[in-house]
Amino acid sequence: MGVDKHDQGHELPTPEPDSPSLPRSRQAYRFSTLCATVDNPNPNHKDQHGSSSVPIYQTATFKGVGGEYDYSRSGNPTRTHLEHHIAKISSANHAFAVSSGMAALDVITRILKPGNEVIAGDDLYGGTNRLLTYLRTHMGVVVHHVDTTNPSTIIPYLHPGKTAMVLLETPTNPLLKIVDIAGISSMVKEKCEDAVIVVDNTMMSPYLQRPLEHGADIVYDSATKYLSGHHDLMAGVITCNRDDLAKQMAFTVNAVGNALTPFDSFLLLRGTKTLAIRMDRQQSSAMLVAQLLQQLGFVTHYPGLPGHPGKEIHERIADGYGAVLSFETGDKELSERIVGATRLWGISVSFGAVNSLISMPCVMSHASIDPATRAARGLPEDLIRLCVGIEDPADLLDDLRLALLGAGAVTRSANDFVRIPNAVNRAVEKLALGEPLVHRQRTKENREWFVSAPGKVILFGEHAVVHGVTAVAASVDLRCYGLTSPRHDNKLSVQFTSINDYYHEWDLDALPWDAVAPVPPGDSHPETLDVELMKAISDRALPPASEMPPKTHAATVAFLYLYMTLTHGDERPSFNLTVRSTLPVGAGLGSSAAFSACIASALLLLHQRIEVPPIPAPTRQATESDPGHVHISHQGRRAIPPAIADEINRWAFVSEKVLHGTPSGIDNTVVVYGGALAYTKPGFGRKAGMDKIKGFKSFKFLLTDSKVPRDTKALVASVAKKKTEEPQFVKNMFDAIQSISDEARRALDDPELSREQLLSALSSLIEENHCYLASLGVSHDTLECIRSKCSEPPHKLSTKLTGAGGGGCTVTLVPDDFPATQLHALSAALRAENFDPYLTAVGGSGLGILSPYNSDSSTSREAGTFTGPITPPETPAGGDISLQTLREQFSSVGGDQLGQWADRCGRWLFV
């Protein structure tokens, strides 16, 4: 970082000489000297025996009246020495030592009152997040989590008179993001002068960063970490310069009684003496480790690396880069193997000790943050955190290399270690097949792959989601099903049963292969579509769109686009794809996304880019009514590994682009992962990603297909045009819709809200959301007619459009106690107007794949009975597709029985 600031004198107090007769001519002591010097200038604190180490006053009480000490909870000489020392090295006037870092934060947050608002980062230590959640839930404190690395995200939440505290970490834990303490402090004070700036400085310690010098009001450290350095005690320290804040916190420490014990104060004093020398060794070794991981190609988070976001800001406010770093492998199981393969690196939470530690934050230090919140905040499940100690760096590097090698993340070259390409796919294949792909000969795929994906409803936020507003969506219990049946006649065919029973087949050699640029296995599709390939497919492989039934042209282009792009080498699987749906097609219920997820999963399987591992043992016995169907909930253990689900979702999004041009990404995401989620599109300032809503309860909805077609692209374009022409009006609409989405998420996540209160809140939000969408011009007369039918007495149900609007479908919330006879009458009234109502539930499983690992039950299949699970069968010699009994039954079973029939086919693996 250029000049080493530790070699410069700090403007920190230098102890006066013992004899007043000696002249004061020394320069200010440097930090490492201050660390080792634990003198207290107060003459009352001089040890009568001249002990070179501060004595331990291991007593609860003190004799006498009117003395400085009477009870160790309120004050103790050993702790006083410690607090003076901590204040000295922290550029502080006041310091408090308490029982832990979280106890320190607890003392600080007791400054807050009900109704106060707190702004906090979105990449926080798990314990901090837990305490803030408690304050929000039980103490009436409003907490806003924002990306504090971008100061502009704070501005909308600065409310004079309400914003009481801004809580920062820098670097953050565990993604090592950088926060501009000085910039944010200045910005906050300008608008909310009473707000208190609090900084968790644990990651840096006072040696590398002193936030009070940069505008912070209160700083706290978990002294268990670097200040102690040996993990043999628990402690927390608080520092500040404001007398008023110090008075409030001193009262709390004394009243609560969480001050640090005399013996632990002695140990912490001892630890701080070596702080500088320990951290010098630790951060120099951390730089070597970070450089190794980056050279191997891992995404590595460390402020000292070139190109680290915020590096310039960090160097302005800190004196070093610290000794904590993290890196991503791309696969959670691979990360687990790496962590388990280390020997010198201890597997443990925490950091700051002389011993090096390794951990996976999402399953250890940050496990208290629910997975959905972790995902929304961009915390990778595969992240590995390294906390570098004082061991010889050569030994640390060697142990890490061997762990990476043993886990299958790297391989040896002639002179060095090299990362294995496509490590994610390799890891999944090793789990599923027990051997690397390179040792396995590719074989012709003879199985029938049966896949399915649910539809979706956007409950709140459609249209606005394209422009960065959070949308709340859920899967529905209506599904799209796809079945691939092998054929070895060098032909490819599709049958869209639900779209005019459309059928088309191609000679594989006649497809426009000269126009395709295949995406190699393991690589991602480019951001933009291959326009030349799409044109070649339309012009050379299909009749004109006007000569094909509606919707079939786009669906076929999407299918061929994925098939050809995924093809690699000379492997061109010959098969038939049959697609059926219990979803109304084109009604705005995610039928295109469900179709996209089905073709993506089927083609990835057929091209052998993903492998499905064996299904877990069933958790219950098959019964006559449930012959072997094991439902793996999206909230429980996933039978389809996350890496495979992510790959399917990426390619489903490609298909959605072919179908819709610029989709938001929410449709394919919810149909792949299932359940309910809040989705924010990247690129609009808010934290992007999906946030699974764990508290989502099952609700009944009446989905009504207006049978009026709508042009999604045109409707999305019309809102974009309105945004250009009337920016402030549309911004106000978007802000209002964002508030509705936020309120819906809070209500769904609130465990104390009664079912009746929740339904009432959702009902009001549905009505309000629809009004804003109508103001944006995306409703339709038929949708308003359906709303009128549902809202008129005696029904009085809340209804809104969903999806693109302009026709399509409405969603109507049905209360739990809504009479069945009344619902029947409403459905009949809607049918009388030529609408199609569907009573369903929301929030079920996501994408499913029929397990190919069960024993065959062809006899029962051919007989049309289902007494056991079905296995996708081998194609008979010659490839006569007429013999595919599973396909025959799939094509012929009644539409009202399709879902039940599919459930009884066998063991489904679900995301």
Side-chain angles (χ1 to χ4, degrees):
M1 283 174 32
V3 178
D4 187 349
K5 299 179 185 179
H6 295 130
D7 288 338
Q8 302 175 4
H10 289 282
E11 294 182 3
L12 298 175
T14 301
E16 297 288 344
D18 289 339
S19 172
S21 62
L22 293 176
R24 171 67 186 274
S25 59
R26 298 185 183 93
Q27 64 179 358
Y29 286 164
R30 289 166 174 78
F31 195 97
S32 56
T33 304
L34 292 173
C35 282
T37 306
V38 190
D39 287 334
N40 192 321
N42 188 331
N44 294 329
H45 289 264
K46 298 293 181 181
D47 178 61
Q48 60 180 323
H49 301 296
S51 171
S52 61
S53 179
V54 175
I56 306 173
Y57 288 85
Q58 192 66 45
T59 179
T61 59
F62 299 83
K63 296 179 180 179
V65 178
E68 183 175 354
Y69 302 103
D70 58 6
Y71 194 57
S72 276
R73 186 193 69 207
S74 304
N76 180 281
T78 310
R79 189 164 67 244
T80 298
H81 271 277
L82 169 66
E83 291 173 339
H84 173 269
H85 185 63
I86 294 297
K88 180 181 68 175
I89 66 176
S90 302
S91 300
N93 293 329
H94 307 280
F96 305 95
V98 293
S99 56
S100 70
M102 289 309 304
L105 182 58
D106 179 56
V107 169
I108 295 167
T109 55
R110 287 177 189 257
I111 296 171
L112 300 169
K113 299 177 177 60
N116 284 167
E117 296 187 8
V118 175
I119 301 173
D122 59 1
D123 183 24
L124 297 172
Y125 167 58
T128 302
N129 188 81
R130 184 168 53 241
L131 180 57
L132 292 176
T133 299
Y134 180 87
L135 293 172
R136 177 184 63 81
T137 306
H138 300 286
M139 306 303 294
V141 174
V142 178
V143 180
H144 305 289
H145 288 284
V146 302
D147 180 6
T148 49
T149 64
N150 179 7
S152 64
T153 63
I154 295 176
I155 296 174
Y157 300 99
L158 289 176
H159 303 140
K162 291 184 178 181
T163 302
M165 185 175 291
V166 178
L167 178 58
L168 307 174
E169 286 185 26
T170 185
T172 62
N173 179 13
L175 290 177
L176 286 297
K177 297 179 182 178
I178 305 303
V179 175
D180 186 353
I181 300 172
I184 289 178
S185 298
S186 175
M187 181 180 67
V188 170
K189 294 295 185 182
E190 183 177 344
K191 190 168 184 179
C192 301
E193 60 181 0
D194 295 330
V196 177
I197 309 297
V198 179
V199 178
D200 179 350
N201 197 46
T202 304
M203 190 79 79
M204 289 282 100
S205 85
Y207 180 49
L208 298 181
Q209 186 170 268
R210 290 167 297 284
L212 292 176
E213 297 175 357
H214 301 286
D217 296 303
I218 301 174
V219 178
Y220 73 100
D221 287 55
S222 172
T224 310
K225 315 298 192 297
Y226 288 113
L227 285 168
S228 167
H230 294 78
H231 282 185
D232 52 8
L233 66 92
M234 293 188 67
V237 298
I238 309 168
T239 57
C240 72
N241 284 326
R242 283 176 48 178
D243 295 342
D244 59 329
L245 295 175
K247 183 176 180 180
Q248 293 180 68
M249 292 187 291
F251 174 83
T252 299
V253 172
N254 183 50
V256 172
N258 61 357
L260 197 62
T261 66
F263 186 73
D264 285 338
S265 296
F266 167 80
L267 288 177
L268 184 53
L269 266 173
R270 184 179 68 168
T272 58
K273 294 178 182 180
T274 61
L275 171 63
I277 195 169
R278 282 186 284 105
M279 290 214 73
D280 281 344
R281 175 61 172 265
Q282 287 172 289
Q283 68 175 343
S284 66
S285 296
M287 178 65 82
L288 296 175
V289 173
Q291 290 171 342
L292 167 68
L293 292 168
Q294 188 178 61
Q295 290 165 3
L296 287 172
F298 294 101
V299 176
T300 307
H301 307 281
Y302 185 63
L305 292 174
H308 182 85
K311 185 174 188 287
E312 182 181 348
I313 295 173
H314 181 78
E315 292 177 346
R316 189 167 68 242
I317 63 177
D319 298 340
Y321 302 120
V324 177
L325 64 144
S326 59
F327 70 102
E328 301 172 37
T329 68
D331 181 73
K332 183 178 179 182
E333 288 77 13
L334 177 61
S335 296
E336 290 173 347
R337 295 200 299 278
I338 293 170
V339 171
T342 58
R343 294 295 177 267
L344 190 55
W345 299 79
I347 303 175
S348 178
V349 297
S350 196
F351 55 88
V354 293
N355 304 108
S356 294
L357 302 176
I358 188 170
S359 66
M360 289 183 64
C362 288
V363 296
M364 298 175 73
S365 59
H366 291 62
S368 62
I369 303 176
D370 67 85
T373 302
R374 293 198 301 262
R377 295 178 183 176
L379 184 58
E381 296 291 315
D382 62 288
L383 191 73
I384 296 176
R385 190 182 70 180
L386 297 172
C387 310
V388 183
I390 66 170
E391 302 93 341
D392 191 295
D395 293 329
L396 289 173
L397 294 172
D398 183 63
D399 188 60
L400 185 57
R401 287 191 190 97
L402 292 175
L404 294 169
L405 180 67
V410 300
T411 187
R412 289 184 187 271
S413 66
N415 302 311
D416 205 350
F417 291 83
V418 179
R419 188 179 180 190
I420 297 173
N422 308 321
V424 174
N425 292 336
R426 183 182 177 91
V428 173
E429 288 161 358
K430 289 174 74 174
L431 285 175
L433 305 172
E435 60 178 14
L437 180 61
V438 294
H439 297 309
R440 182 170 57 91
Q441 296 297 320
R442 290 177 53 82
T443 59
K444 288 185 177 180
E445 182 56 83
N446 286 324
R447 286 171 293 190
E448 289 182 299
W449 286 103
F450 197 11
V451 297
S452 74
K456 72 89 186 64
V457 290
I458 298 184
L459 301 177
F460 305 101
E462 48 270 271
H463 278 289
V465 68
V466 178
H467 303 276
V469 171
T470 302
V472 177
S475 59
V476 300
D477 288 350
L478 301 171
R479 299 179 75 88
C480 178
Y481 298 89
L483 175 67
T484 66
S485 301
R487 49 188 298 172
H488 300 307
D489 54 2
N490 203 44
K491 290 184 182 296
L492 182 68
S493 55
V494 294
Q495 181 178 2
F496 300 147
T497 307
S498 301
I499 313 178
N500 300 98
D501 201 21
Y502 179 75
Y503 178 85
H504 196 99
E505 71 177 29
W506 302 265
D507 186 322
L508 280 172
D509 294 333
L511 291 174
W513 295 106
D514 58 302
V516 69
V519 175
D523 288 0
S524 297
H525 188 282
E527 287 293 321
T528 57
L529 294 173
D530 187 338
V531 178
E532 292 301 319
L533 176 59
M534 292 177 61
K535 185 175 187 303
I537 290 172
S538 295
D539 294 347
R540 296 158 54 189
L542 292 174
S546 59
E547 297 178 10
M548 299 175 64
K551 303 183 180 66
T552 57
H553 185 272
T556 309
V557 171
F559 168 75
L560 287 177
Y561 185 95
L562 259 63
Y563 177 84
M564 298 178 70
T565 306
L566 286 167
T567 299
H568 54 98
D570 296 328
E571 297 290 339
R572 297 177 182 175
S574 176
F575 67 94
N576 174 82
L577 171 69
T578 302
V579 179
R580 293 193 65 184
S581 180
T582 58
L583 281 163
V585 177
L589 293 178
S591 56
S592 67
F595 169 78
S596 294
C598 284
I599 64 171
S601 54
L603 291 173
L604 287 165
L605 287 164
L606 286 164
H607 285 294
Q608 298 187 341
R609 293 199 179 213
I610 60 173
E611 294 284 348
V612 179
I615 196 168
T619 56
R620 63 178 186 271
Q621 296 295 320
T623 64
E624 183 177 352
S625 61
D626 184 9
H629 175 215
V630 178
H631 180 90
I632 307 297
S633 169
H634 66 281
Q635 295 176 332
R637 178 181 176 185
R638 293 177 174 181
I640 297 177
I644 290 179
D646 293 345
E647 182 74 356
I648 293 171
N649 191 40
R650 282 190 287 270
W651 284 96
F653 184 54
V654 174
S655 173
E656 282 282 86
K657 283 185 176 182
V658 176
L659 292 168
H660 298 303
T662 56
S664 67
I666 187 172
D667 286 16
N668 52 277
T669 300
V670 76
V671 304
V672 170
Y673 296 100
L677 58 85
Y679 176 89
T680 307
K681 190 176 181 180
F684 291 90
R686 293 185 180 88
K687 189 68 177 179
M690 67 169 185
D691 180 359
K692 285 199 172 181
I693 302 175
K694 292 190 67 176
F696 193 89
K697 289 86 175 174
S698 176
F699 300 105
K700 288 189 294 185
F701 275 89
L702 188 68
L703 312 180
T704 306
D705 183 4
S706 70
K707 296 186 181 180
V708 174
R710 75 276 186 277
D711 188 335
T712 300
K713 292 181 182 179
L715 289 162
V716 171
S718 71
V719 175
K721 181 180 179 183
K722 187 180 286 288
K723 181 181 178 183
T724 302
E725 296 173 346
E726 304 176 71
Q728 190 57 49
F729 170 77
V730 174
K731 180 182 182 301
N732 292 340
M733 296 295 101
F734 286 170
D735 288 344
I737 294 172
Q738 179 68 53
S739 298
I740 290 170
S741 294
D742 291 341
E743 184 60 33
R745 292 173 65 185
R746 281 192 291 270
L748 291 166
D749 278 332
D750 190 344
E752 298 183 359
L753 207 61
S754 71
R755 178 79 173 184
E756 183 179 0
Q757 291 172 322
L758 178 58
L759 287 167
S760 176
L762 292 177
S763 178
S764 298
L765 293 173
I766 284 173
E767 294 285 350
E768 186 179 356
N769 194 182
H770 181 87
C771 290
Y772 288 124
L773 292 171
S775 297
L776 289 173
V778 295
S779 188
H780 190 276
D781 290 345
T782 58
L783 303 181
E784 298 302 329
C785 177
I786 295 170
R787 290 187 73 238
S788 176
K789 290 283 183 185
C790 295
S791 62
E792 63 187 17
H795 312 307
K796 297 182 180 180
L797 299 180
S798 295
T799 302
K800 65 180 285 293
L801 66 86
T802 188
C809 193
T810 63
V811 293
T812 302
L813 181 64
V814 179
D816 298 336
D817 57 355
F818 195 75
T821 53
Q822 197 170 319
L823 184 61
H824 179 75
L826 174 59
S827 298
L830 291 169
R831 289 192 187 95
E833 297 289 338
N834 199 34
F835 303 134
D836 283 345
Y838 299 82
L839 181 63
T840 186
V842 298
S845 296
L847 181 127
I849 300 174
L850 187 65
S851 171
Y853 295 94
N854 299 299
S855 59
D856 186 50
S857 184
S858 57
T859 302
S860 61
R861 180 168 59 248
E862 292 169 359
T865 60
F866 298 92
T867 58
I870 288 179
T871 300
E874 296 289 324
T875 300
D880 183 354
I881 61 173
S882 66
L883 298 178
Q884 302 306 305
T885 57
L886 185 57
R887 179 187 170 193
E888 287 178 351
Q889 293 196 27
F890 175 56
S891 299
S892 61
V893 67
D896 56 344
Q897 298 295 316
L898 180 57
Q900 183 181 13
W901 177 85
D903 279 350
R904 298 182 61 159
C905 279
R907 300 274 176 82
W908 284 87
L909 305 176
F910 288 100
V911 176

